PDB file of all heavy atoms in Angstrom:
ATOM      1  N   SER A   1      25.206 119.622 118.973  1.00 87.00           N
ATOM      2  CA  SER A   1      23.840 119.257 118.598  1.00 87.00           C
ATOM      3  C   SER A   1      22.816 120.115 119.337  1.00 87.00           C
ATOM      4  O   SER A   1      22.960 120.373 120.536  1.00 87.00           O
ATOM      5  CB  SER A   1      23.595 117.778 118.915  1.00 87.00           C
ATOM      6  OG  SER A   1      22.253 117.417 118.674  1.00 87.00           O
ATOM      7  N   PHE A   2      21.756 120.528 118.603  1.00 89.00           N
ATOM      8  CA  PHE A   2      20.705 121.380 119.173  1.00 89.00           C
ATOM      9  C   PHE A   2      19.342 120.926 118.655  1.00 89.00           C
ATOM     10  O   PHE A   2      19.245 120.296 117.592  1.00 89.00           O
ATOM     11  CB  PHE A   2      20.938 122.849 118.809  1.00 89.00           C
ATOM     12  CG  PHE A   2      22.240 123.384 119.310  1.00 89.00           C
ATOM     13  CD1 PHE A   2      23.391 123.289 118.540  1.00 89.00           C
ATOM     14  CD2 PHE A   2      22.337 123.959 120.568  1.00 89.00           C
ATOM     15  CE1 PHE A   2      24.608 123.758 119.011  1.00 89.00           C
ATOM     16  CE2 PHE A   2      23.544 124.435 121.052  1.00 89.00           C
ATOM     17  CZ  PHE A   2      24.682 124.340 120.267  1.00 89.00           C
ATOM     18  N   GLU A   3      18.287 121.258 119.415  1.00 87.00           N
ATOM     19  CA  GLU A   3      16.931 120.939 118.970  1.00 87.00           C
ATOM     20  C   GLU A   3      16.559 121.687 117.690  1.00 87.00           C
ATOM     21  O   GLU A   3      15.874 121.143 116.835  1.00 87.00           O
ATOM     22  CB  GLU A   3      15.904 121.272 120.064  1.00 87.00           C
ATOM     23  CG  GLU A   3      15.649 120.164 121.047  1.00 87.00           C
ATOM     24  CD  GLU A   3      16.561 120.269 122.264  1.00 87.00           C
ATOM     25  OE1 GLU A   3      17.483 121.108 122.229  1.00 87.00           O
ATOM     26  OE2 GLU A   3      16.354 119.527 123.237  1.00 87.00           O
ATOM     27  N   GLN A   4      16.996 122.927 117.588  1.00 89.00           N
ATOM     28  CA  GLN A   4      16.642 123.732 116.413  1.00 89.00           C
ATOM     29  C   GLN A   4      17.566 123.359 115.249  1.00 89.00           C
ATOM     30  O   GLN A   4      18.560 124.026 114.968  1.00 89.00           O
ATOM     31  CB  GLN A   4      16.758 125.218 116.746  1.00 89.00           C
ATOM     32  CG  GLN A   4      16.080 125.648 118.044  1.00 89.00           C
ATOM     33  CD  GLN A   4      14.631 125.241 118.109  1.00 89.00           C
ATOM     34  OE1 GLN A   4      14.199 124.567 119.038  1.00 89.00           O
ATOM     35  NE2 GLN A   4      13.845 125.639 117.126  1.00 89.00           N
ATOM     36  N   SER A   5      17.224 122.261 114.568  1.00 92.00           N
ATOM     37  CA  SER A   5      18.134 121.648 113.592  1.00 92.00           C
ATOM     38  C   SER A   5      18.517 122.588 112.456  1.00 92.00           C
ATOM     39  O   SER A   5      19.674 122.624 112.025  1.00 92.00           O
ATOM     40  CB  SER A   5      17.485 120.387 113.012  1.00 92.00           C
ATOM     41  OG  SER A   5      17.288 119.417 114.015  1.00 92.00           O
ATOM     42  N   TYR A   6      17.556 123.354 111.949  1.00 94.00           N
ATOM     43  CA  TYR A   6      17.858 124.201 110.794  1.00 94.00           C
ATOM     44  C   TYR A   6      18.679 125.420 111.204  1.00 94.00           C
ATOM     45  O   TYR A   6      19.553 125.864 110.442  1.00 94.00           O
ATOM     46  CB  TYR A   6      16.563 124.610 110.087  1.00 94.00           C
ATOM     47  CG  TYR A   6      15.732 123.417 109.661  1.00 94.00           C
ATOM     48  CD1 TYR A   6      14.372 123.352 109.923  1.00 94.00           C
ATOM     49  CD2 TYR A   6      16.323 122.334 109.013  1.00 94.00           C
ATOM     50  CE1 TYR A   6      13.615 122.246 109.561  1.00 94.00           C
ATOM     51  CE2 TYR A   6      15.587 121.224 108.646  1.00 94.00           C
ATOM     52  CZ  TYR A   6      14.228 121.184 108.924  1.00 94.00           C
ATOM     53  OH  TYR A   6      13.496 120.082 108.555  1.00 94.00           O
ATOM     54  N   LEU A   7      18.433 125.964 112.390  1.00 93.00           N
ATOM     55  CA  LEU A   7      19.297 127.032 112.887  1.00 93.00           C
ATOM     56  C   LEU A   7      20.699 126.491 113.153  1.00 93.00           C
ATOM     57  O   LEU A   7      21.696 127.196 112.948  1.00 93.00           O
ATOM     58  CB  LEU A   7      18.715 127.642 114.160  1.00 93.00           C
ATOM     59  CG  LEU A   7      17.544 128.615 113.989  1.00 93.00           C
ATOM     60  CD1 LEU A   7      17.083 129.111 115.355  1.00 93.00           C
ATOM     61  CD2 LEU A   7      17.930 129.795 113.113  1.00 93.00           C
ATOM     62  N   GLN A   8      20.789 125.254 113.593  1.00 94.00           N
ATOM     63  CA  GLN A   8      22.093 124.638 113.789  1.00 94.00           C
ATOM     64  C   GLN A   8      22.843 124.535 112.462  1.00 94.00           C
ATOM     65  O   GLN A   8      24.036 124.861 112.384  1.00 94.00           O
ATOM     66  CB  GLN A   8      21.928 123.243 114.395  1.00 94.00           C
ATOM     67  CG  GLN A   8      23.232 122.475 114.538  1.00 94.00           C
ATOM     68  CD  GLN A   8      23.031 121.054 115.022  1.00 94.00           C
ATOM     69  OE1 GLN A   8      22.086 120.758 115.736  1.00 94.00           O
ATOM     70  NE2 GLN A   8      23.914 120.156 114.622  1.00 94.00           N
ATOM     71  N   LEU A   9      22.160 124.086 111.407  1.00 95.00           N
ATOM     72  CA  LEU A   9      22.801 123.994 110.093  1.00 95.00           C
ATOM     73  C   LEU A   9      23.176 125.375 109.564  1.00 95.00           C
ATOM     74  O   LEU A   9      24.203 125.532 108.893  1.00 95.00           O
ATOM     75  CB  LEU A   9      21.882 123.284 109.107  1.00 95.00           C
ATOM     76  CG  LEU A   9      21.674 121.786 109.338  1.00 95.00           C
ATOM     77  CD1 LEU A   9      20.756 121.209 108.268  1.00 95.00           C
ATOM     78  CD2 LEU A   9      22.997 121.040 109.355  1.00 95.00           C
ATOM     79  N   LEU A  10      22.349 126.388 109.858  1.00 94.00           N
ATOM     80  CA  LEU A  10      22.684 127.748 109.442  1.00 94.00           C
ATOM     81  C   LEU A  10      23.955 128.212 110.141  1.00 94.00           C
ATOM     82  O   LEU A  10      24.836 128.821 109.514  1.00 94.00           O
ATOM     83  CB  LEU A  10      21.525 128.692 109.766  1.00 94.00           C
ATOM     84  CG  LEU A  10      21.685 130.145 109.305  1.00 94.00           C
ATOM     85  CD1 LEU A  10      21.728 130.228 107.788  1.00 94.00           C
ATOM     86  CD2 LEU A  10      20.543 131.004 109.852  1.00 94.00           C
ATOM     87  N   PHE A  11      24.082 127.937 111.431  1.00 95.00           N
ATOM     88  CA  PHE A  11      25.271 128.298 112.192  1.00 95.00           C
ATOM     89  C   PHE A  11      26.499 127.547 111.673  1.00 95.00           C
ATOM     90  O   PHE A  11      27.593 128.119 111.552  1.00 95.00           O
ATOM     91  CB  PHE A  11      25.022 127.990 113.680  1.00 95.00           C
ATOM     92  CG  PHE A  11      26.261 127.765 114.504  1.00 95.00           C
ATOM     93  CD1 PHE A  11      27.233 128.754 114.622  1.00 95.00           C
ATOM     94  CD2 PHE A  11      26.440 126.562 115.185  1.00 95.00           C
ATOM     95  CE1 PHE A  11      28.375 128.538 115.387  1.00 95.00           C
ATOM     96  CE2 PHE A  11      27.570 126.351 115.956  1.00 95.00           C
ATOM     97  CZ  PHE A  11      28.551 127.337 116.053  1.00 95.00           C
ATOM     98  N   GLN A  12      26.342 126.279 111.326  1.00 95.00           N
ATOM     99  CA  GLN A  12      27.492 125.458 110.965  1.00 95.00           C
ATOM    100  C   GLN A  12      27.819 125.481 109.469  1.00 95.00           C
ATOM    101  O   GLN A  12      28.985 125.332 109.094  1.00 95.00           O
ATOM    102  CB  GLN A  12      27.250 124.022 111.413  1.00 95.00           C
ATOM    103  CG  GLN A  12      27.181 123.868 112.926  1.00 95.00           C
ATOM    104  CD  GLN A  12      26.875 122.453 113.350  1.00 95.00           C
ATOM    105  OE1 GLN A  12      26.212 121.695 112.634  1.00 95.00           O
ATOM    106  NE2 GLN A  12      27.353 122.071 114.519  1.00 95.00           N
ATOM    107  N   LEU A  13      26.813 125.646 108.613  1.00 96.00           N
ATOM    108  CA  LEU A  13      27.026 125.574 107.167  1.00 96.00           C
ATOM    109  C   LEU A  13      26.727 126.867 106.435  1.00 96.00           C
ATOM    110  O   LEU A  13      27.003 126.972 105.232  1.00 96.00           O
ATOM    111  CB  LEU A  13      26.162 124.456 106.567  1.00 96.00           C
ATOM    112  CG  LEU A  13      26.401 123.043 107.097  1.00 96.00           C
ATOM    113  CD1 LEU A  13      25.378 122.084 106.512  1.00 96.00           C
ATOM    114  CD2 LEU A  13      27.807 122.572 106.778  1.00 96.00           C
ATOM    115  N   GLY A  14      26.153 127.835 107.134  1.00 95.00           N
ATOM    116  CA  GLY A  14      25.797 129.091 106.495  1.00 95.00           C
ATOM    117  C   GLY A  14      24.627 128.921 105.543  1.00 95.00           C
ATOM    118  O   GLY A  14      24.084 127.817 105.375  1.00 95.00           O
ATOM    119  N   PRO A  15      24.211 129.992 104.880  1.00 95.00           N
ATOM    120  CA  PRO A  15      23.092 129.901 103.934  1.00 95.00           C
ATOM    121  C   PRO A  15      23.373 128.947 102.784  1.00 95.00           C
ATOM    122  O   PRO A  15      22.452 128.327 102.251  1.00 95.00           O
ATOM    123  CB  PRO A  15      22.938 131.343 103.429  1.00 95.00           C
ATOM    124  CG  PRO A  15      23.621 132.197 104.452  1.00 95.00           C
ATOM    125  CD  PRO A  15      24.721 131.365 105.029  1.00 95.00           C
ATOM    126  N   LEU A  16      24.643 128.815 102.403  1.00 94.00           N
ATOM    127  CA  LEU A  16      24.989 127.937 101.283  1.00 94.00           C
ATOM    128  C   LEU A  16      24.661 126.485 101.606  1.00 94.00           C
ATOM    129  O   LEU A  16      24.011 125.789 100.822  1.00 94.00           O
ATOM    130  CB  LEU A  16      26.478 128.088 100.955  1.00 94.00           C
ATOM    131  CG  LEU A  16      26.992 127.285  99.754  1.00 94.00           C
ATOM    132  CD1 LEU A  16      26.265 127.709  98.479  1.00 94.00           C
ATOM    133  CD2 LEU A  16      28.498 127.480  99.590  1.00 94.00           C
ATOM    134  N   GLY A  17      25.101 126.000 102.758  1.00 94.00           N
ATOM    135  CA  GLY A  17      24.851 124.609 103.118  1.00 94.00           C
ATOM    136  C   GLY A  17      23.393 124.338 103.417  1.00 94.00           C
ATOM    137  O   GLY A  17      22.844 123.310 102.994  1.00 94.00           O
ATOM    138  N   LEU A  18      22.742 125.261 104.151  1.00 94.00           N
ATOM    139  CA  LEU A  18      21.322 125.073 104.451  1.00 94.00           C
ATOM    140  C   LEU A  18      20.495 125.113 103.172  1.00 94.00           C
ATOM    141  O   LEU A  18      19.569 124.320 102.987  1.00 94.00           O
ATOM    142  CB  LEU A  18      20.855 126.150 105.429  1.00 94.00           C
ATOM    143  CG  LEU A  18      19.395 126.060 105.887  1.00 94.00           C
ATOM    144  CD1 LEU A  18      19.127 124.758 106.627  1.00 94.00           C
ATOM    145  CD2 LEU A  18      19.035 127.248 106.781  1.00 94.00           C
ATOM    146  N   GLY A  19      20.846 126.035 102.270  1.00 94.00           N
ATOM    147  CA  GLY A  19      20.139 126.116 100.989  1.00 94.00           C
ATOM    148  C   GLY A  19      20.321 124.850 100.167  1.00 94.00           C
ATOM    149  O   GLY A  19      19.375 124.374  99.528  1.00 94.00           O
ATOM    150  N   LEU A  20      21.532 124.287 100.190  1.00 94.00           N
ATOM    151  CA  LEU A  20      21.785 123.059  99.441  1.00 94.00           C
ATOM    152  C   LEU A  20      20.919 121.919  99.956  1.00 94.00           C
ATOM    153  O   LEU A  20      20.433 121.094  99.176  1.00 94.00           O
ATOM    154  CB  LEU A  20      23.264 122.680  99.545  1.00 94.00           C
ATOM    155  CG  LEU A  20      23.685 121.389  98.844  1.00 94.00           C
ATOM    156  CD1 LEU A  20      23.394 121.451  97.353  1.00 94.00           C
ATOM    157  CD2 LEU A  20      25.174 121.114  99.084  1.00 94.00           C
ATOM    158  N   PHE A  21      20.708 121.870 101.256  1.00 95.00           N
ATOM    159  CA  PHE A  21      19.859 120.819 101.837  1.00 95.00           C
ATOM    160  C   PHE A  21      18.443 120.888 101.262  1.00 95.00           C
ATOM    161  O   PHE A  21      17.886 119.885 100.812  1.00 95.00           O
ATOM    162  CB  PHE A  21      19.832 120.949 103.360  1.00 95.00           C
ATOM    163  CG  PHE A  21      18.889 120.009 104.040  1.00 95.00           C
ATOM    164  CD1 PHE A  21      19.217 118.678 104.216  1.00 95.00           C
ATOM    165  CD2 PHE A  21      17.652 120.444 104.500  1.00 95.00           C
ATOM    166  CE1 PHE A  21      18.336 117.794 104.842  1.00 95.00           C
ATOM    167  CE2 PHE A  21      16.769 119.579 105.130  1.00 95.00           C
ATOM    168  CZ  PHE A  21      17.126 118.255 105.299  1.00 95.00           C
ATOM    169  N   PHE A  22      17.866 122.089 101.256  1.00 93.00           N
ATOM    170  CA  PHE A  22      16.490 122.215 100.781  1.00 93.00           C
ATOM    171  C   PHE A  22      16.396 122.097  99.261  1.00 93.00           C
ATOM    172  O   PHE A  22      15.428 121.542  98.735  1.00 93.00           O
ATOM    173  CB  PHE A  22      15.888 123.527 101.267  1.00 93.00           C
ATOM    174  CG  PHE A  22      15.517 123.514 102.720  1.00 93.00           C
ATOM    175  CD1 PHE A  22      16.291 124.165 103.660  1.00 93.00           C
ATOM    176  CD2 PHE A  22      14.404 122.820 103.153  1.00 93.00           C
ATOM    177  CE1 PHE A  22      15.959 124.137 105.010  1.00 93.00           C
ATOM    178  CE2 PHE A  22      14.056 122.770 104.495  1.00 93.00           C
ATOM    179  CZ  PHE A  22      14.838 123.431 105.429  1.00 93.00           C
ATOM    180  N   VAL A  23      17.405 122.568  98.536  1.00 92.00           N
ATOM    181  CA  VAL A  23      17.408 122.418  97.073  1.00 92.00           C
ATOM    182  C   VAL A  23      17.508 120.941  96.705  1.00 92.00           C
ATOM    183  O   VAL A  23      16.860 120.476  95.758  1.00 92.00           O
ATOM    184  CB  VAL A  23      18.570 123.221  96.450  1.00 92.00           C
ATOM    185  CG1 VAL A  23      18.768 122.837  94.988  1.00 92.00           C
ATOM    186  CG2 VAL A  23      18.287 124.713  96.558  1.00 92.00           C
ATOM    187  N   SER A  24      18.316 120.185  97.451  1.00 92.00           N
ATOM    188  CA  SER A  24      18.464 118.757  97.172  1.00 92.00           C
ATOM    189  C   SER A  24      17.147 118.016  97.330  1.00 92.00           C
ATOM    190  O   SER A  24      16.911 117.004  96.661  1.00 92.00           O
ATOM    191  CB  SER A  24      19.522 118.148  98.108  1.00 92.00           C
ATOM    192  OG  SER A  24      20.787 118.730  97.889  1.00 92.00           O
ATOM    193  N   LEU A  25      16.283 118.507  98.219  1.00 91.00           N
ATOM    194  CA  LEU A  25      14.977 117.889  98.418  1.00 91.00           C
ATOM    195  C   LEU A  25      13.935 118.377  97.421  1.00 91.00           C
ATOM    196  O   LEU A  25      13.017 117.635  97.055  1.00 91.00           O
ATOM    197  CB  LEU A  25      14.467 118.171  99.834  1.00 91.00           C
ATOM    198  CG  LEU A  25      15.152 117.446 100.989  1.00 91.00           C
ATOM    199  CD1 LEU A  25      14.573 117.920 102.311  1.00 91.00           C
ATOM    200  CD2 LEU A  25      14.981 115.948 100.850  1.00 91.00           C
ATOM    201  N   SER A  26      14.063 119.617  96.968  1.00 87.00           N
ATOM    202  CA  SER A  26      12.977 120.244  96.217  1.00 87.00           C
ATOM    203  C   SER A  26      12.738 119.597  94.861  1.00 87.00           C
ATOM    204  O   SER A  26      11.593 119.390  94.459  1.00 87.00           O
ATOM    205  CB  SER A  26      13.261 121.742  96.041  1.00 87.00           C
ATOM    206  OG  SER A  26      14.428 121.950  95.260  1.00 87.00           O
ATOM    207  N   ALA A  27      13.819 119.260  94.128  1.00 79.00           N
ATOM    208  CA  ALA A  27      13.636 118.726  92.779  1.00 79.00           C
ATOM    209  C   ALA A  27      12.929 117.375  92.787  1.00 79.00           C
ATOM    210  O   ALA A  27      11.941 117.181  92.068  1.00 79.00           O
ATOM    211  CB  ALA A  27      14.989 118.650  92.063  1.00 79.00           C
ATOM    212  N   PRO A  28      13.378 116.385  93.573  1.00 80.00           N
ATOM    213  CA  PRO A  28      12.630 115.113  93.578  1.00 80.00           C
ATOM    214  C   PRO A  28      11.217 115.246  94.120  1.00 80.00           C
ATOM    215  O   PRO A  28      10.307 114.536  93.672  1.00 80.00           O
ATOM    216  CB  PRO A  28      13.485 114.203  94.473  1.00 80.00           C
ATOM    217  CG  PRO A  28      14.399 115.096  95.224  1.00 80.00           C
ATOM    218  CD  PRO A  28      14.612 116.290  94.366  1.00 80.00           C
ATOM    219  N   VAL A  29      11.001 116.159  95.056  1.00 84.00           N
ATOM    220  CA  VAL A  29       9.655 116.369  95.589  1.00 84.00           C
ATOM    221  C   VAL A  29       8.736 116.917  94.500  1.00 84.00           C
ATOM    222  O   VAL A  29       7.587 116.489  94.368  1.00 84.00           O
ATOM    223  CB  VAL A  29       9.702 117.314  96.806  1.00 84.00           C
ATOM    224  CG1 VAL A  29       8.301 117.816  97.145  1.00 84.00           C
ATOM    225  CG2 VAL A  29      10.286 116.597  98.017  1.00 84.00           C
ATOM    226  N   ARG A  30       9.235 117.846  93.698  1.00 79.00           N
ATOM    227  CA  ARG A  30       8.416 118.404  92.612  1.00 79.00           C
ATOM    228  C   ARG A  30       8.060 117.338  91.590  1.00 79.00           C
ATOM    229  O   ARG A  30       6.936 117.309  91.076  1.00 79.00           O
ATOM    230  CB  ARG A  30       9.164 119.562  91.942  1.00 79.00           C
ATOM    231  CG  ARG A  30       9.266 120.811  92.800  1.00 79.00           C
ATOM    232  CD  ARG A  30       9.946 121.930  92.050  1.00 79.00           C
ATOM    233  NE  ARG A  30       9.159 122.338  90.887  1.00 79.00           N
ATOM    234  CZ  ARG A  30       9.595 123.205  89.959  1.00 79.00           C
ATOM    235  NH1 ARG A  30      10.799 123.738  90.070  1.00 79.00           N
ATOM    236  NH2 ARG A  30       8.833 123.525  88.950  1.00 79.00           N
ATOM    237  N   ARG A  31       9.016 116.461  91.255  1.00 74.00           N
ATOM    238  CA  ARG A  31       8.727 115.388  90.303  1.00 74.00           C
ATOM    239  C   ARG A  31       7.653 114.451  90.846  1.00 74.00           C
ATOM    240  O   ARG A  31       6.737 114.042  90.125  1.00 74.00           O
ATOM    241  CB  ARG A  31      10.003 114.606  90.002  1.00 74.00           C
ATOM    242  CG  ARG A  31      10.897 115.252  88.945  1.00 74.00           C
ATOM    243  CD  ARG A  31      10.206 115.209  87.582  1.00 74.00           C
ATOM    244  NE  ARG A  31      11.057 115.803  86.565  1.00 74.00           N
ATOM    245  CZ  ARG A  31      11.933 115.118  85.839  1.00 74.00           C
ATOM    246  NH1 ARG A  31      12.074 113.828  86.050  1.00 74.00           N
ATOM    247  NH2 ARG A  31      12.649 115.721  84.929  1.00 74.00           N
ATOM    248  N   ALA A  32       7.782 114.088  92.123  1.00 76.00           N
ATOM    249  CA  ALA A  32       6.786 113.194  92.717  1.00 76.00           C
ATOM    250  C   ALA A  32       5.422 113.865  92.768  1.00 76.00           C
ATOM    251  O   ALA A  32       4.389 113.220  92.548  1.00 76.00           O
ATOM    252  CB  ALA A  32       7.237 112.780  94.116  1.00 76.00           C
ATOM    253  N   TRP A  33       5.406 115.163  93.079  1.00 77.00           N
ATOM    254  CA  TRP A  33       4.150 115.925  93.100  1.00 77.00           C
ATOM    255  C   TRP A  33       3.466 115.825  91.747  1.00 77.00           C
ATOM    256  O   TRP A  33       2.253 115.596  91.646  1.00 77.00           O
ATOM    257  CB  TRP A  33       4.462 117.376  93.453  1.00 77.00           C
ATOM    258  CG  TRP A  33       3.306 118.319  93.450  1.00 77.00           C
ATOM    259  CD1 TRP A  33       2.738 118.921  92.369  1.00 77.00           C
ATOM    260  CD2 TRP A  33       2.572 118.799  94.591  1.00 77.00           C
ATOM    261  NE1 TRP A  33       1.707 119.747  92.757  1.00 77.00           N
ATOM    262  CE2 TRP A  33       1.585 119.683  94.113  1.00 77.00           C
ATOM    263  CE3 TRP A  33       2.672 118.571  95.962  1.00 77.00           C
ATOM    264  CZ2 TRP A  33       0.697 120.352  94.961  1.00 77.00           C
ATOM    265  CZ3 TRP A  33       1.789 119.221  96.801  1.00 77.00           C
ATOM    266  CH2 TRP A  33       0.814 120.097  96.312  1.00 77.00           C
ATOM    267  N   LYS A  34       4.245 115.976  90.662  1.00 74.00           N
ATOM    268  CA  LYS A  34       3.666 115.896  89.318  1.00 74.00           C
ATOM    269  C   LYS A  34       3.129 114.499  89.033  1.00 74.00           C
ATOM    270  O   LYS A  34       2.099 114.342  88.382  1.00 74.00           O
ATOM    271  CB  LYS A  34       4.722 116.290  88.283  1.00 74.00           C
ATOM    272  CG  LYS A  34       5.093 117.768  88.312  1.00 74.00           C
ATOM    273  CD  LYS A  34       6.143 118.091  87.259  1.00 74.00           C
ATOM    274  CE  LYS A  34       6.527 119.570  87.294  1.00 74.00           C
ATOM    275  NZ  LYS A  34       7.576 119.896  86.301  1.00 74.00           N
ATOM    276  N   SER A  35       3.835 113.480  89.521  1.00 71.00           N
ATOM    277  CA  SER A  35       3.377 112.114  89.254  1.00 71.00           C
ATOM    278  C   SER A  35       2.068 111.822  89.990  1.00 71.00           C
ATOM    279  O   SER A  35       1.213 111.098  89.493  1.00 71.00           O
ATOM    280  CB  SER A  35       4.444 111.096  89.668  1.00 71.00           C
ATOM    281  OG  SER A  35       4.470 110.923  91.064  1.00 71.00           O
ATOM    282  N   VAL A  36       1.909 112.396  91.181  1.00 73.00           N
ATOM    283  CA  VAL A  36       0.673 112.192  91.942  1.00 73.00           C
ATOM    284  C   VAL A  36      -0.508 112.805  91.211  1.00 73.00           C
ATOM    285  O   VAL A  36      -1.619 112.270  91.224  1.00 73.00           O
ATOM    286  CB  VAL A  36       0.815 112.794  93.358  1.00 73.00           C
ATOM    287  CG1 VAL A  36      -0.533 112.839  94.071  1.00 73.00           C
ATOM    288  CG2 VAL A  36       1.800 111.966  94.180  1.00 73.00           C
ATOM    289  N   PHE A  37      -0.279 113.931  90.526  1.00 69.00           N
ATOM    290  CA  PHE A  37      -1.356 114.613  89.827  1.00 69.00           C
ATOM    291  C   PHE A  37      -1.408 114.286  88.335  1.00 69.00           C
ATOM    292  O   PHE A  37      -2.164 114.895  87.601  1.00 69.00           O
ATOM    293  CB  PHE A  37      -1.210 116.130  89.991  1.00 69.00           C
ATOM    294  CG  PHE A  37      -1.627 116.615  91.349  1.00 69.00           C
ATOM    295  CD1 PHE A  37      -0.725 117.284  92.165  1.00 69.00           C
ATOM    296  CD2 PHE A  37      -2.893 116.390  91.821  1.00 69.00           C
ATOM    297  CE1 PHE A  37      -1.095 117.730  93.419  1.00 69.00           C
ATOM    298  CE2 PHE A  37      -3.281 116.828  93.081  1.00 69.00           C
ATOM    299  CZ  PHE A  37      -2.387 117.503  93.881  1.00 69.00           C
ATOM    300  N   ALA A  38      -0.565 113.336  87.875  1.00 64.00           N
ATOM    301  CA  ALA A  38      -0.515 113.012  86.454  1.00 64.00           C
ATOM    302  C   ALA A  38      -1.866 112.474  85.980  1.00 64.00           C
ATOM    303  O   ALA A  38      -2.562 111.766  86.690  1.00 64.00           O
ATOM    304  CB  ALA A  38       0.577 111.982  86.186  1.00 64.00           C
ATOM    305  N   ALA A  39      -2.210 112.824  84.745  1.00 50.00           N
ATOM    306  CA  ALA A  39      -3.484 112.361  84.183  1.00 50.00           C
ATOM    307  C   ALA A  39      -3.494 110.837  84.069  1.00 50.00           C
ATOM    308  O   ALA A  39      -4.468 110.172  84.401  1.00 50.00           O
ATOM    309  CB  ALA A  39      -3.706 112.996  82.815  1.00 50.00           C
ATOM    310  N   ALA A  40      -2.372 110.262  83.568  1.00 46.00           N
ATOM    311  CA  ALA A  40      -2.245 108.810  83.504  1.00 46.00           C
ATOM    312  C   ALA A  40      -1.468 108.362  84.736  1.00 46.00           C
ATOM    313  O   ALA A  40      -0.276 108.597  84.841  1.00 46.00           O
ATOM    314  CB  ALA A  40      -1.512 108.403  82.230  1.00 46.00           C
ATOM    315  N   ARG A  41      -2.158 107.732  85.676  1.00 55.00           N
ATOM    316  CA  ARG A  41      -1.529 107.359  86.940  1.00 55.00           C
ATOM    317  C   ARG A  41      -0.353 106.408  86.708  1.00 55.00           C
ATOM    318  O   ARG A  41      -0.425 105.492  85.894  1.00 55.00           O
ATOM    319  CB  ARG A  41      -2.547 106.683  87.853  1.00 55.00           C
ATOM    320  CG  ARG A  41      -3.686 107.583  88.261  1.00 55.00           C
ATOM    321  CD  ARG A  41      -3.186 108.686  89.175  1.00 55.00           C
ATOM    322  NE  ARG A  41      -4.296 109.494  89.666  1.00 55.00           N
ATOM    323  CZ  ARG A  41      -4.154 110.519  90.485  1.00 55.00           C
ATOM    324  NH1 ARG A  41      -2.962 110.863  90.901  1.00 55.00           N
ATOM    325  NH2 ARG A  41      -5.197 111.203  90.882  1.00 55.00           N
ATOM    326  N   THR A  42       0.736 106.599  87.414  1.00 55.00           N
ATOM    327  CA  THR A  42       1.857 105.682  87.338  1.00 55.00           C
ATOM    328  C   THR A  42       1.638 104.545  88.331  1.00 55.00           C
ATOM    329  O   THR A  42       0.884 104.677  89.279  1.00 55.00           O
ATOM    330  CB  THR A  42       3.172 106.397  87.685  1.00 55.00           C
ATOM    331  OG1 THR A  42       3.066 106.936  89.008  1.00 55.00           O
ATOM    332  CG2 THR A  42       3.457 107.520  86.714  1.00 55.00           C
ATOM    333  N   ILE A  43       2.335 103.440  88.107  1.00 53.00           N
ATOM    334  CA  ILE A  43       2.104 102.266  88.937  1.00 53.00           C
ATOM    335  C   ILE A  43       2.518 102.507  90.381  1.00 53.00           C
ATOM    336  O   ILE A  43       1.999 101.869  91.286  1.00 53.00           O
ATOM    337  CB  ILE A  43       2.866 101.048  88.377  1.00 53.00           C
ATOM    338  CG1 ILE A  43       4.364 101.347  88.270  1.00 53.00           C
ATOM    339  CG2 ILE A  43       2.316 100.626  87.056  1.00 53.00           C
ATOM    340  CD1 ILE A  43       5.180 100.153  87.867  1.00 53.00           C
TER     341      ILE A  43
END
């Protein structure tokens, strides 16, 4: 375990694993971003 969490994941998982972490977050974040700016507000 290290303070530099993303460098730690790069060392342990390589670009593939670190990239998967951020890709897994990006799609739901983009959807939520669109809902925040949607013309018809969602509940």
Side-chain angles (χ1 to χ4, degrees):
S1 175
F2 300 89
E3 272 92 351
Q4 312 306 124
S5 296
Y6 303 132
L7 283 179
Q8 176 185 331
L9 290 181
L10 184 65
F11 156 60
Q12 294 177 331
L13 301 174
L16 183 61
L18 182 62
L20 178 60
F21 174 78
F22 285 104
V23 168
S24 297
L25 288 176
S26 64
V29 166
R30 289 183 64 188
R31 278 292 181 91
W33 177 279
K34 290 180 181 178
S35 77
V36 169
F37 284 121
R41 296 292 185 180
T42 59
I43 57 174

